Amino acid sequence: AAAARRQGLATALLAHVQQHGAVRSPLALELHVHAANADAHVFYRDAGFHHTAPLHGGVIHAMRRHT
């Protein structure tokens, strides 16, 4: 997994989801990120997502970005 980081794959995938999801005019995008995955938290925060609620005893956090 470490070798795949910083290659732009997650950025391209997120852009693809946003582009194709825009056709449906969503009010927000929501995802779940493991609490221990600090790199993912930073990535999604930098992409405009913010924490909305911890789930399952803090193991997974919900993050949301309004469109």
Side-chain angles (χ1 to χ4, degrees), residues 15-24:
H16 178 81
V17 168
Q18 290 173 343
Q19 180 182 30
H20 289 281
V23 174
R24 296 177 183 233

Side-chain angles (χ1 to χ4, degrees), residues 8-61:
L9 181 61
T11 301
L13 182 58
L14 183 58
H16 178 81
V17 168
Q18 290 173 343
Q19 180 182 30
H20 289 281
V23 174
R24 296 177 183 233
S25 302
L27 298 176
L29 298 174
E30 185 171 304
L31 53 93
H32 298 163
V33 180
H34 283 271
N37 193 344
D39 290 339
H41 284 264
V42 171
F43 171 79
Y44 289 116
R45 185 195 65 222
D46 290 349
F49 287 81
H50 64 277
H51 287 97
T52 57
L55 302 175
H56 305 295
V59 175
I60 298 176
H61 290 267

